Amino acid sequence: MTDQWLTSLITATPQEGFELAITLSRRGVKYTQPDAEVLHALRHGYSNSSDALTAASQVVAINFQTVAAANNYWRQ
């Protein structure tokens, strides 16, 4: 994957920041497992696992923490 899609962590609102955190998390999975067929085959297993869903939520939270810090926690 050579496309440049992330040009900044700066967002206008916390909501946009959270959406960016989700995008970062999803892109991380896509980079880790670039084979779409394998990725889709694995989806059933992790989508029905409370441990896997909790881990995915933790990754999103860590990415949101990073984006929030980059945005000075949206302080004016």
Side-chain angles (χ1 to χ4, degrees), residues 2-40:
T2 59
D3 62 324
Q4 184 176 350
W5 62 273
L6 183 61
T7 58
S8 176
L9 293 178
I10 304 305
T11 62
T13 66
Q15 177 70 36
E16 288 179 14
F18 186 72
E19 291 169 10
L20 177 57
I22 291 170
T23 299
L24 290 168
S25 302
R26 294 183 75 182
R27 288 280 189 139
V29 170
K30 190 175 176 181
Y31 275 80
T32 304
Q33 179 47 266
D35 186 328
E37 190 173 314
V38 172
L39 189 61
H40 290 288

Side-chain angles (χ1 to χ4, degrees), residues 12 72-76:
N72 196 28
Y73 304 94
W74 295 276
R75 294 183 185 134
Q76 297 298 332

